[in-house]
Amino acid sequence: MTETFARNAPIAVFDSGVGGISVLRALKEIMPHEDFYYFGDSAYAPYGTKTTEEVRKRVFELVEGFRDKGMKACVVACNTATSAAVRPLRETYPDYTIVGIEPALKPAVMDRAGTMPNVIVMATPMTIRNEKFHNLMDRYVEMAHIIPLPCPGLMEFVERGDTASDELYAFISKLLAPFDKDKVDALVLGCTHYPFVADTVRRVMGDRIVLYEGGPGTARETRRRLEAAGLLTDRDTKGTITIENSLSEDKVRICRKLLEN
Ligand code: DGL
């Protein structure tokens, strides 16, 4: 069945928790007149250590809900959920604007084309395991040394609102301990929670390290897709942001705080 969506309806943005706020801030920056509905699925987090089937089922439920409510598009602001479900979602709902996110490996490699850089990709175990990431790596494998680094346990810090503690510093130091800091050229933050720990990653790796995140590219892609579908808002007043969470109001408060920073 083909649905039509109203151009002034909100855009749904969701993640397994508070991390997708890093994508929402990029969306709101380039589309300030749009209304956004952000849903954090903290009751079901983390996604990254579950099975692909479990996450796919959950993501279908959520996206169907947004679509049924008439939200004009859905941004899957989660690398893990994108790798688990975006392709089957698009096949099931070809009439719906669904935008996913993937680790920003392309700019990390292309900015250093011809130099065979060492690029670490930090992401959840599921993102790194899934075919989508392997296909992405295959595209750049001759242009860079790509080092996938699964980071189970890291998103939990951000979920607690911890973006700067000593425990976080110790956790990230341990994750990155095997690498020679002087030889790593770029580091991709391949989970939407990780941009919130960028300062700690920089403290561990040193100021020379260049970090990449997928939010801005996903925001630009969302604007392109909405424009192509004739669904950009025609209002010129500031849009609204509604935030809900499947676990608690406390998570909503953490989201608001992250959005302000
Ligand atoms: N924020 C999610 C991502 O971008 C993952 C966090 C989780 O494991 O739920 O991959």
Side-chain angles (χ1 to χ4, degrees), residues 15-16 19-20 45-49 77-81 124 127 155 190-193:
D15 174 46
S16 60
Y47 283 179
T49 48
C78 175
N79 294 264
T80 309
T124 69
T127 298
M155 70 81 83
C191 163
T192 55
H193 283 71

Side-chain angles (χ1 to χ4, degrees), residues 1 3 5 12 14 37 39 55-74 76 85 88-93 95-98:
M1 189 178 64
E3 292 280 336
F5 297 93
F14 84 97
Y37 169 76
F39 183 78
V55 172
R56 187 174 297 159
K57 183 167 175 287
R58 178 65 177 163
V59 169
F60 261 80
E61 275 165 22
L62 294 178
V63 175
E64 281 161 1
F66 303 142
R67 190 174 170 278
D68 289 349
K69 285 189 188 122
M71 297 191 191
K72 68 181 177 185
C74 174
V76 183
L89 271 172
R90 290 209 184 109
E91 283 164 9
T92 311
Y93 300 109
D95 62 329
Y96 198 37
T97 304
I98 299 169

Side-chain angles (χ1 to χ4, degrees), residues 21-242:
I21 294 290
S22 64
V23 181
L24 179 59
R25 69 183 175 189
L27 286 161
K28 138 179 178 283
E29 200 175 305
I30 66 164
M31 292 182 282
H33 303 140
E34 297 289 348
D35 286 348
F36 292 100
Y37 169 76
Y38 181 86
F39 183 78
D41 198 15
S42 298
Y44 208 76
Y47 283 179
T49 48
K50 292 192 164 58
T51 66
T52 302
E53 291 66 34
E54 282 174 302
V55 172
R56 187 174 297 159
K57 183 167 175 287
R58 178 65 177 163
V59 169
F60 261 80
E61 275 165 22
L62 294 178
V63 175
E64 281 161 1
F66 303 142
R67 190 174 170 278
D68 289 349
K69 285 189 188 122
M71 297 191 191
K72 68 181 177 185
C74 174
V75 179
V76 183
C78 175
N79 294 264
T80 309
T82 299
S83 74
V86 156
R87 198 193 308 157
L89 271 172
R90 290 209 184 109
E91 283 164 9
T92 311
Y93 300 109
D95 62 329
Y96 198 37
T97 304
I98 299 169
V99 185
I101 186 167
E102 67 179 13
L105 184 58
K106 181 179 176 184
V109 174
M110 298 315 276
D111 287 353
R112 316 180 155 68
T115 68
M116 209 58 195
N118 293 314
V119 180
I120 296 180
V121 182
M122 295 171 74
T124 69
M126 192 196 297
T127 298
I128 285 175
R129 199 174 60 230
N130 276 353
E131 192 194 340
K132 193 172 188 301
F133 182 69
H134 288 271
N135 292 340
L136 178 69
M137 269 206 350
D138 284 350
R139 266 188 263 148
Y140 301 103
V141 80
E142 307 217 319
M143 298 174 69
H145 299 290
I146 302 163
I147 308 140
L149 180 64
C151 305
L154 182 52
M155 70 81 83
E156 283 83 344
F157 285 88
V158 183
E159 279 295 296
R160 293 194 289 272
D162 177 355
T163 56
S165 70
D166 292 346
E167 291 75 22
L168 176 66
Y169 182 84
F171 188 91
I172 292 177
S173 299
K174 197 168 165 205
L175 272 173
L176 294 170
F179 307 105
D180 179 346
K181 292 173 189 39
D182 295 329
K183 296 211 172 114
V184 178
D185 301 294
L187 196 149
V188 177
L189 302 169
C191 163
T192 55
H193 283 71
Y194 302 169
F196 295 112
V197 302
D199 286 349
T200 305
V201 171
R202 254 185 232 108
R203 270 173 61 213
V204 171
M205 293 301 279
D207 284 340
R208 207 188 121 260
I209 192 78
V210 185
L211 305 180
Y212 288 83
E213 61 176 289
T218 300
R220 288 192 297 274
E221 174 67 7
T222 305
R223 187 173 56 189
R224 261 197 303 275
R225 297 274 306 278
L226 287 172
E227 193 171 14
L231 282 175
L232 281 173
T233 183
D234 55 11
R235 280 187 315 245
D236 57 7
T237 49
K238 191 166 176 269
T240 60
I241 295 181
T242 305

